[in-house]
mmCIF file of all heavy atoms in Angstrom:
data_model
loop_
_atom_site.group_PDB
_atom_site.id
_atom_site.type_symbol
_atom_site.label_atom_id
_atom_site.label_comp_id
_atom_site.label_asym_id
_atom_site.label_seq_id
_atom_site.Cartn_x
_atom_site.Cartn_y
_atom_site.Cartn_z
ATOM 1 N N THR P 16 200.624 118.923 117.469
ATOM 2 C CA THR P 16 199.962 120.177 116.891
ATOM 3 C C THR P 16 198.689 120.420 117.645
ATOM 4 O O THR P 16 197.889 119.575 117.971
ATOM 5 C CB THR P 16 199.630 119.971 115.504
ATOM 6 O OG1 THR P 16 200.834 119.801 114.627
ATOM 7 C CG2 THR P 16 198.865 121.234 114.963
ATOM 8 N N VAL P 17 198.466 121.665 118.108
ATOM 9 C CA VAL P 17 197.293 122.074 118.914
ATOM 10 C C VAL P 17 196.502 123.104 118.000
ATOM 11 O O VAL P 17 197.062 124.177 117.689
ATOM 12 C CB VAL P 17 197.621 122.639 120.252
ATOM 13 C CG1 VAL P 17 196.349 123.138 120.960
ATOM 14 C CG2 VAL P 17 198.360 121.707 121.132
ATOM 15 N N LEU P 18 195.259 122.789 117.625
ATOM 16 C CA LEU P 18 194.380 123.694 116.984
ATOM 17 C C LEU P 18 193.484 124.234 117.924
ATOM 18 O O LEU P 18 192.804 123.470 118.761
ATOM 19 C CB LEU P 18 193.632 122.881 115.891
ATOM 20 C CG LEU P 18 194.431 122.219 114.870
ATOM 21 C CD1 LEU P 18 193.530 121.524 113.797
ATOM 22 C CD2 LEU P 18 195.402 123.057 114.156
ATOM 23 N N GLN P 19 193.223 125.506 117.968
ATOM 24 C CA GLN P 19 192.452 126.222 118.945
ATOM 25 C C GLN P 19 191.090 126.426 118.483
ATOM 26 O O GLN P 19 190.864 126.924 117.294
ATOM 27 C CB GLN P 19 193.168 127.520 119.307
ATOM 28 C CG GLN P 19 194.430 127.320 120.164
ATOM 29 C CD GLN P 19 194.155 126.732 121.511
ATOM 30 O OE1 GLN P 19 193.098 126.771 122.060
ATOM 31 N NE2 GLN P 19 195.272 126.231 122.107
ATOM 32 N N GLY P 20 190.119 126.118 119.273
ATOM 33 C CA GLY P 20 188.739 126.462 119.011
ATOM 34 C C GLY P 20 188.250 127.585 120.090
ATOM 35 O O GLY P 20 189.011 127.942 121.033
ATOM 36 N N ASP P 21 187.036 128.090 119.851
ATOM 37 C CA ASP P 21 186.531 129.145 120.795
ATOM 38 C C ASP P 21 185.566 128.699 121.840
ATOM 39 O O ASP P 21 184.938 129.436 122.533
ATOM 40 C CB ASP P 21 185.945 130.224 119.890
ATOM 41 C CG ASP P 21 184.801 129.762 119.162
ATOM 42 O OD1 ASP P 21 184.359 128.639 119.195
ATOM 43 O OD2 ASP P 21 184.164 130.572 118.362
ATOM 44 N N GLY P 22 185.459 127.337 121.904
ATOM 45 C CA GLY P 22 184.401 126.828 122.879
ATOM 46 C C GLY P 22 183.162 126.521 122.302
ATOM 47 O O GLY P 22 182.230 125.966 122.997
ATOM 48 N N ASN P 23 182.939 126.771 121.023
ATOM 49 C CA ASN P 23 181.672 126.373 120.316
ATOM 50 C C ASN P 23 181.772 125.345 119.296
ATOM 51 O O ASN P 23 180.762 125.118 118.524
ATOM 52 C CB ASN P 23 181.155 127.689 119.628
ATOM 53 C CG ASN P 23 180.850 128.850 120.658
ATOM 54 O OD1 ASN P 23 180.051 128.595 121.599
ATOM 55 N ND2 ASN P 23 181.405 129.979 120.498
ATOM 56 N N LEU P 24 182.896 124.620 119.236
ATOM 57 C CA LEU P 24 183.044 123.559 118.240
ATOM 58 C C LEU P 24 182.288 122.305 118.661
ATOM 59 O O LEU P 24 181.717 121.596 117.821
ATOM 60 C CB LEU P 24 184.487 123.283 118.083
ATOM 61 C CG LEU P 24 185.412 124.317 117.370
ATOM 62 C CD1 LEU P 24 186.867 123.836 117.371
ATOM 63 C CD2 LEU P 24 184.934 124.477 115.923
ATOM 64 N N TRP P 25 182.421 121.925 120.017
ATOM 65 C CA TRP P 25 181.795 120.711 120.378
ATOM 66 C C TRP P 25 182.570 119.535 119.767
ATOM 67 O O TRP P 25 183.636 119.721 119.067
ATOM 68 C CB TRP P 25 180.351 120.598 120.411
ATOM 69 C CG TRP P 25 179.739 121.657 121.223
ATOM 70 C CD1 TRP P 25 179.431 123.028 120.823
ATOM 71 C CD2 TRP P 25 179.289 121.549 122.597
ATOM 72 N NE1 TRP P 25 178.891 123.673 121.914
ATOM 73 C CE2 TRP P 25 178.741 122.697 122.972
ATOM 74 C CE3 TRP P 25 179.280 120.419 123.547
ATOM 75 C CZ2 TRP P 25 178.242 122.958 124.303
ATOM 76 C CZ3 TRP P 25 178.859 120.673 124.820
ATOM 77 C CH2 TRP P 25 178.253 121.901 125.116
ATOM 78 N N TRP P 26 182.098 118.302 119.958
ATOM 79 C CA TRP P 26 182.880 117.155 119.370
ATOM 80 C C TRP P 26 182.851 117.244 117.829
ATOM 81 O O TRP P 26 183.939 117.085 117.229
ATOM 82 C CB TRP P 26 182.232 115.817 119.895
ATOM 83 C CG TRP P 26 183.045 114.583 119.387
ATOM 84 C CD1 TRP P 26 184.066 114.107 120.156
ATOM 85 C CD2 TRP P 26 182.923 113.896 118.205
ATOM 86 N NE1 TRP P 26 184.654 112.981 119.448
ATOM 87 C CE2 TRP P 26 183.954 112.905 118.238
ATOM 88 C CE3 TRP P 26 182.171 113.954 117.126
ATOM 89 C CZ2 TRP P 26 184.116 112.000 117.226
ATOM 90 C CZ3 TRP P 26 182.286 113.130 116.108
ATOM 91 C CH2 TRP P 26 183.362 112.014 116.147
ATOM 92 N N THR P 27 181.809 117.261 117.220
ATOM 93 C CA THR P 27 181.683 117.158 115.746
ATOM 94 C C THR P 27 182.497 118.282 115.083
ATOM 95 O O THR P 27 183.276 118.047 114.105
ATOM 96 C CB THR P 27 180.313 117.189 115.204
ATOM 97 O OG1 THR P 27 179.593 116.154 116.018
ATOM 98 C CG2 THR P 27 180.328 116.721 113.844
ATOM 99 N N GLY P 28 182.280 119.597 115.592
ATOM 100 C CA GLY P 28 183.003 120.749 114.995
ATOM 101 C C GLY P 28 184.480 120.584 115.167
ATOM 102 O O GLY P 28 185.344 120.908 114.222
ATOM 103 N N ALA P 29 184.887 120.049 116.398
ATOM 104 C CA ALA P 29 186.447 119.851 116.536
ATOM 105 C C ALA P 29 186.929 118.790 115.605
ATOM 106 O O ALA P 29 188.021 119.015 115.018
ATOM 107 C CB ALA P 29 186.573 119.450 118.077
ATOM 108 N N ILE P 30 186.197 117.685 115.385
ATOM 109 C CA ILE P 30 186.650 116.683 114.515
ATOM 110 C C ILE P 30 186.691 117.198 113.091
ATOM 111 O O ILE P 30 187.735 116.880 112.272
ATOM 112 C CB ILE P 30 185.622 115.463 114.659
ATOM 113 C CG1 ILE P 30 186.010 114.674 115.854
ATOM 114 C CG2 ILE P 30 185.733 114.673 113.390
ATOM 115 C CD1 ILE P 30 187.330 113.993 115.834
ATOM 116 N N VAL P 31 185.787 118.022 112.659
ATOM 117 C CA VAL P 31 185.748 118.567 111.220
ATOM 118 C C VAL P 31 186.993 119.499 111.110
ATOM 119 O O VAL P 31 187.669 119.424 110.046
ATOM 120 C CB VAL P 31 184.487 119.316 111.019
ATOM 121 C CG1 VAL P 31 184.553 120.161 109.696
ATOM 122 C CG2 VAL P 31 183.244 118.361 110.956
ATOM 123 N N LEU P 32 187.243 120.369 112.162
ATOM 124 C CA LEU P 32 188.422 121.216 112.042
ATOM 125 C C LEU P 32 189.701 120.386 111.831
ATOM 126 O O LEU P 32 190.573 120.702 111.088
ATOM 127 C CB LEU P 32 188.563 122.059 113.254
ATOM 128 C CG LEU P 32 189.715 123.044 113.362
ATOM 129 C CD1 LEU P 32 189.669 124.019 112.165
ATOM 130 C CD2 LEU P 32 189.721 123.794 114.748
ATOM 131 N N GLY P 33 189.791 119.273 112.683
ATOM 132 C CA GLY P 33 191.013 118.406 112.571
ATOM 133 C C GLY P 33 191.037 117.666 111.244
ATOM 134 O O GLY P 33 192.124 117.496 110.680
ATOM 135 N N MET P 34 189.911 117.198 110.785
ATOM 136 C CA MET P 34 189.868 116.521 109.493
ATOM 137 C C MET P 34 190.266 117.399 108.361
ATOM 138 O O MET P 34 191.070 116.949 107.484
ATOM 139 C CB MET P 34 188.559 115.896 109.232
ATOM 140 C CG MET P 34 188.213 114.651 110.156
ATOM 141 S SD MET P 34 186.499 113.974 109.953
ATOM 142 C CE MET P 34 186.721 113.237 108.266
ATOM 143 N N ARG P 35 189.866 118.585 108.332
ATOM 144 C CA ARG P 35 190.227 119.563 107.330
ATOM 145 C C ARG P 35 191.722 119.772 107.340
ATOM 146 O O ARG P 35 192.400 119.811 106.271
ATOM 147 C CB ARG P 35 189.543 120.829 107.415
ATOM 148 C CG ARG P 35 187.987 120.781 107.174
ATOM 149 C CD ARG P 35 187.379 122.122 107.186
ATOM 150 N NE ARG P 35 185.910 122.041 106.976
ATOM 151 C CZ ARG P 35 185.312 121.988 105.783
ATOM 152 N NH1 ARG P 35 186.056 122.007 104.760
ATOM 153 N NH2 ARG P 35 183.960 121.964 105.768
ATOM 154 N N PHE P 36 192.260 119.933 108.555
ATOM 155 C CA PHE P 36 193.697 120.134 108.654
ATOM 156 C C PHE P 36 194.463 118.969 108.173
ATOM 157 O O PHE P 36 195.484 119.121 107.368
ATOM 158 C CB PHE P 36 194.009 120.391 110.212
ATOM 159 C CG PHE P 36 195.402 120.640 110.575
ATOM 160 C CD1 PHE P 36 196.049 121.936 110.410
ATOM 161 C CD2 PHE P 36 196.240 119.533 110.967
ATOM 162 C CE1 PHE P 36 197.320 122.160 110.854
ATOM 163 C CE2 PHE P 36 197.631 119.723 111.222
ATOM 164 C CZ PHE P 36 198.158 121.056 111.083
ATOM 165 N N ALA P 37 194.031 117.735 108.574
ATOM 166 C CA ALA P 37 194.732 116.534 108.155
ATOM 167 C C ALA P 37 194.621 116.287 106.661
ATOM 168 O O ALA P 37 195.620 116.024 105.951
ATOM 169 C CB ALA P 37 194.220 115.374 108.916
ATOM 170 N N TYR P 38 193.473 116.598 106.087
ATOM 171 C CA TYR P 38 193.221 116.373 104.639
ATOM 172 C C TYR P 38 194.064 117.233 103.816
ATOM 173 O O TYR P 38 194.714 116.851 102.813
ATOM 174 C CB TYR P 38 191.753 116.623 104.367
ATOM 175 C CG TYR P 38 191.386 116.272 102.934
ATOM 176 C CD1 TYR P 38 190.965 114.968 102.566
ATOM 177 C CD2 TYR P 38 191.422 117.243 101.963
ATOM 178 C CE1 TYR P 38 190.574 114.623 101.296
ATOM 179 C CE2 TYR P 38 191.108 116.864 100.692
ATOM 180 C CZ TYR P 38 190.692 115.620 100.275
ATOM 181 O OH TYR P 38 190.345 115.278 98.985
ATOM 182 N N GLN P 39 194.188 118.513 104.236
ATOM 183 C CA GLN P 39 195.009 119.418 103.519
ATOM 184 C C GLN P 39 196.498 119.192 103.603
ATOM 185 O O GLN P 39 197.285 119.606 102.737
ATOM 186 C CB GLN P 39 194.795 120.877 104.063
ATOM 187 C CG GLN P 39 193.401 121.431 103.807
ATOM 188 C CD GLN P 39 193.036 122.664 104.621
ATOM 189 O OE1 GLN P 39 193.909 123.206 105.366
ATOM 190 N NE2 GLN P 39 191.855 123.190 104.432
ATOM 191 N N ARG P 40 196.879 118.313 104.487
ATOM 192 C CA ARG P 40 198.288 117.867 104.695
ATOM 193 C C ARG P 40 198.510 116.425 104.235
ATOM 194 O O ARG P 40 199.322 115.728 104.662
ATOM 195 C CB ARG P 40 198.779 118.090 106.123
ATOM 196 C CG ARG P 40 199.014 119.581 106.499
ATOM 197 C CD ARG P 40 198.821 119.971 107.897
ATOM 198 N NE ARG P 40 198.945 121.409 108.003
ATOM 199 C CZ ARG P 40 198.017 122.217 107.738
ATOM 200 N NH1 ARG P 40 196.859 121.843 107.296
ATOM 201 N NH2 ARG P 40 198.293 123.549 107.954
ATOM 202 N N ASN P 41 197.560 116.048 103.296
ATOM 203 C CA ASN P 41 197.777 114.775 102.573
ATOM 204 C C ASN P 41 197.640 113.504 103.419
ATOM 205 O O ASN P 41 198.284 112.499 103.195
ATOM 206 C CB ASN P 41 199.057 114.739 101.752
ATOM 207 C CG ASN P 41 199.115 115.895 100.751
ATOM 208 O OD1 ASN P 41 198.203 116.155 100.055
ATOM 209 N ND2 ASN P 41 200.332 116.530 100.697
ATOM 210 N N ALA P 42 196.804 113.542 104.521
ATOM 211 C CA ALA P 42 196.605 112.383 105.290
ATOM 212 C C ALA P 42 195.998 111.292 104.452
ATOM 213 O O ALA P 42 195.100 111.474 103.689
ATOM 214 C CB ALA P 42 195.661 112.778 106.520
ATOM 215 N N GLU P 43 196.622 110.094 104.659
ATOM 216 C CA GLU P 43 195.976 108.963 103.944
ATOM 217 C C GLU P 43 194.926 108.225 104.874
ATOM 218 O O GLU P 43 193.975 107.728 104.362
ATOM 219 C CB GLU P 43 197.142 107.956 103.620
ATOM 220 C CG GLU P 43 198.169 108.465 102.651
ATOM 221 C CD GLU P 43 199.321 107.417 102.512
ATOM 222 O OE1 GLU P 43 199.093 106.444 101.980
ATOM 223 O OE2 GLU P 43 200.514 107.830 102.887
ATOM 224 N N PHE P 44 195.205 108.375 106.005
ATOM 225 C CA PHE P 44 194.230 107.768 107.040
ATOM 226 C C PHE P 44 194.038 108.758 108.208
ATOM 227 O O PHE P 44 195.023 109.486 108.671
ATOM 228 C CB PHE P 44 194.647 106.383 107.604
ATOM 229 C CG PHE P 44 194.854 105.388 106.628
ATOM 230 C CD1 PHE P 44 196.132 105.141 105.986
ATOM 231 C CD2 PHE P 44 193.779 104.724 105.974
ATOM 232 C CE1 PHE P 44 196.279 104.250 105.051
ATOM 233 C CE2 PHE P 44 193.932 103.806 104.964
ATOM 234 C CZ PHE P 44 195.228 103.594 104.528
ATOM 235 N N ILE P 45 192.917 108.817 108.750
ATOM 236 C CA ILE P 45 192.558 109.646 109.871
ATOM 237 C C ILE P 45 192.033 108.841 111.058
ATOM 238 O O ILE P 45 191.098 108.037 110.760
ATOM 239 C CB ILE P 45 191.432 110.811 109.458
ATOM 240 C CG1 ILE P 45 192.172 111.679 108.437
ATOM 241 C CG2 ILE P 45 190.955 111.537 110.682
ATOM 242 C CD1 ILE P 45 191.142 112.649 107.765
ATOM 243 N N ILE P 46 192.530 109.164 112.258
ATOM 244 C CA ILE P 46 191.962 108.432 113.425
ATOM 245 C C ILE P 46 191.354 109.406 114.345
ATOM 246 O O ILE P 46 191.883 110.413 114.650
ATOM 247 C CB ILE P 46 193.046 107.750 114.130
ATOM 248 C CG1 ILE P 46 193.804 106.521 113.363
ATOM 249 C CG2 ILE P 46 192.611 107.146 115.503
ATOM 250 C CD1 ILE P 46 194.953 105.986 113.932
ATOM 251 N N TRP P 47 190.029 109.100 114.642
ATOM 252 C CA TRP P 47 189.325 109.853 115.734
ATOM 253 C C TRP P 47 189.670 109.188 117.094
ATOM 254 O O TRP P 47 189.610 107.990 117.220
ATOM 255 C CB TRP P 47 187.833 109.825 115.557
ATOM 256 C CG TRP P 47 187.238 110.271 114.287
ATOM 257 C CD1 TRP P 47 187.893 111.146 113.346
ATOM 258 C CD2 TRP P 47 185.999 110.077 113.770
ATOM 259 N NE1 TRP P 47 186.997 111.430 112.286
ATOM 260 C CE2 TRP P 47 185.789 110.742 112.631
ATOM 261 C CE3 TRP P 47 184.932 109.284 114.167
ATOM 262 C CZ2 TRP P 47 184.670 110.749 111.797
ATOM 263 C CZ3 TRP P 47 183.690 109.324 113.519
ATOM 264 C CH2 TRP P 47 183.594 110.000 112.236
ATOM 265 N N LEU P 48 190.090 109.971 118.007
ATOM 266 C CA LEU P 48 190.510 109.449 119.274
ATOM 267 C C LEU P 48 190.008 110.321 120.447
ATOM 268 O O LEU P 48 190.391 111.448 120.499
ATOM 269 C CB LEU P 48 192.010 109.260 119.393
ATOM 270 C CG LEU P 48 192.516 108.696 120.771
ATOM 271 C CD1 LEU P 48 191.930 107.341 121.050
ATOM 272 C CD2 LEU P 48 194.070 108.723 120.783
ATOM 273 N N ASN P 49 189.048 109.810 121.193
ATOM 274 C CA ASN P 49 188.736 110.575 122.415
ATOM 275 C C ASN P 49 189.736 110.364 123.550
ATOM 276 O O ASN P 49 190.359 109.274 123.639
ATOM 277 C CB ASN P 49 187.397 110.141 122.954
ATOM 278 C CG ASN P 49 186.167 110.675 122.108
ATOM 279 O OD1 ASN P 49 186.468 111.383 121.111
ATOM 280 N ND2 ASN P 49 184.991 110.319 122.539
ATOM 281 N N ASP P 50 190.045 111.425 124.298
ATOM 282 C CA ASP P 50 191.192 111.370 125.161
ATOM 283 C C ASP P 50 190.922 110.420 126.496
ATOM 284 O O ASP P 50 191.876 110.188 127.195
ATOM 285 C CB ASP P 50 191.623 112.703 125.583
ATOM 286 C CG ASP P 50 190.565 113.511 126.426
ATOM 287 O OD1 ASP P 50 189.346 113.002 126.627
ATOM 288 O OD2 ASP P 50 190.762 114.662 126.861
ATOM 289 N N ASP P 51 189.723 109.992 126.595
ATOM 290 C CA ASP P 51 189.533 109.083 127.826
ATOM 291 C C ASP P 51 189.554 107.566 127.407
ATOM 292 O O ASP P 51 189.208 106.743 128.167
ATOM 293 C CB ASP P 51 188.171 109.405 128.434
ATOM 294 C CG ASP P 51 186.999 109.332 127.413
ATOM 295 O OD1 ASP P 51 187.117 108.912 126.333
ATOM 296 O OD2 ASP P 51 185.880 109.789 127.842
ATOM 297 N N CYS P 52 190.008 107.323 126.195
ATOM 298 C CA CYS P 52 190.214 105.916 125.751
ATOM 299 C C CYS P 52 191.556 105.413 126.210
ATOM 300 O O CYS P 52 192.615 106.071 126.142
ATOM 301 C CB CYS P 52 190.171 105.755 124.239
ATOM 302 S SG CYS P 52 188.544 105.966 123.540
ATOM 303 N N GLN P 53 191.627 104.172 126.727
ATOM 304 C CA GLN P 53 192.960 103.524 127.137
ATOM 305 C C GLN P 53 193.030 102.333 126.293
ATOM 306 O O GLN P 53 192.162 101.504 126.088
ATOM 307 C CB GLN P 53 192.854 103.129 128.581
ATOM 308 C CG GLN P 53 192.697 104.364 129.493
ATOM 309 C CD GLN P 53 192.724 103.937 131.013
ATOM 310 O OE1 GLN P 53 192.443 102.793 131.429
ATOM 311 N NE2 GLN P 53 192.795 104.974 131.836
ATOM 312 N N PHE P 54 194.235 102.194 125.654
ATOM 313 C CA PHE P 54 194.519 101.133 124.633
ATOM 314 C C PHE P 54 195.864 100.552 124.756
ATOM 315 O O PHE P 54 196.694 101.015 125.458
ATOM 316 C CB PHE P 54 194.158 101.732 123.226
ATOM 317 C CG PHE P 54 194.770 103.047 122.997
ATOM 318 C CD1 PHE P 54 196.067 103.050 122.422
ATOM 319 C CD2 PHE P 54 194.137 104.160 123.352
ATOM 320 C CE1 PHE P 54 196.665 104.400 122.172
ATOM 321 C CE2 PHE P 54 194.674 105.463 123.182
ATOM 322 C CZ PHE P 54 195.933 105.454 122.547
ATOM 323 N N THR P 55 196.176 99.631 123.861
ATOM 324 C CA THR P 55 197.525 98.920 123.894
ATOM 325 C C THR P 55 198.353 99.390 122.735
ATOM 326 O O THR P 55 197.909 100.104 121.835
ATOM 327 C CB THR P 55 197.360 97.363 123.850
ATOM 328 O OG1 THR P 55 196.914 96.967 122.481
ATOM 329 C CG2 THR P 55 196.372 97.015 124.803
ATOM 330 N N LYS P 56 199.623 98.948 122.724
ATOM 331 C CA LYS P 56 200.503 99.297 121.614
ATOM 332 C C LYS P 56 200.077 98.746 120.302
ATOM 333 O O LYS P 56 200.487 99.497 119.245
ATOM 334 C CB LYS P 56 201.873 98.656 121.960
ATOM 335 C CG LYS P 56 203.014 99.076 121.032
ATOM 336 C CD LYS P 56 204.371 98.598 121.514
ATOM 337 C CE LYS P 56 205.493 98.978 120.598
ATOM 338 N NZ LYS P 56 206.829 98.415 121.112
ATOM 339 N N GLU P 57 199.329 97.730 120.201
ATOM 340 C CA GLU P 57 198.881 97.214 118.923
ATOM 341 C C GLU P 57 197.648 97.862 118.357
ATOM 342 O O GLU P 57 197.271 97.753 117.206
ATOM 343 C CB GLU P 57 198.681 95.695 119.107
ATOM 344 C CG GLU P 57 199.915 94.855 119.366
ATOM 345 C CD GLU P 57 200.177 94.947 120.823
ATOM 346 O OE1 GLU P 57 199.367 95.202 121.694
ATOM 347 O OE2 GLU P 57 201.475 94.690 121.150
ATOM 348 N N THR P 58 196.850 98.533 119.289
ATOM 349 C CA THR P 58 195.612 99.053 118.907
ATOM 350 C C THR P 58 195.460 99.836 117.664
ATOM 351 O O THR P 58 194.814 99.530 116.658
ATOM 352 C CB THR P 58 194.846 99.693 120.033
ATOM 353 O OG1 THR P 58 194.810 98.823 121.164
ATOM 354 C CG2 THR P 58 193.483 100.167 119.705
#
């Protein structure tokens, strides 16, 4: 799913938009993930 911002969200605003979206869809857990992180299958 891609949520569109107008360039004025920055990190926190983008996270809030995503959290509201997830919360409204009954998310039990929310993961913040920056796209420059590299991790393993278990992480």
Side-chain angles (χ1 to χ4, degrees):
T16 300
V17 178
L18 304 180
Q19 292 292 343
D21 61 2
N23 294 307
L24 291 175
W25 296 86
W26 186 89
T27 311
I30 283 293
V31 170
L32 181 62
M34 288 178 70
R35 291 185 185 278
F36 180 87
Y38 186 89
Q39 292 166 1
R40 285 154 183 80
N41 300 316
E43 296 174 65
F44 301 98
I45 293 170
I46 295 175
W47 300 343
L48 177 63
N49 284 3
D50 63 359
D51 55 9
C52 286
Q53 297 179 347
F54 47 92
T55 71
K56 185 174 183 178
E57 295 79 20
T58 301

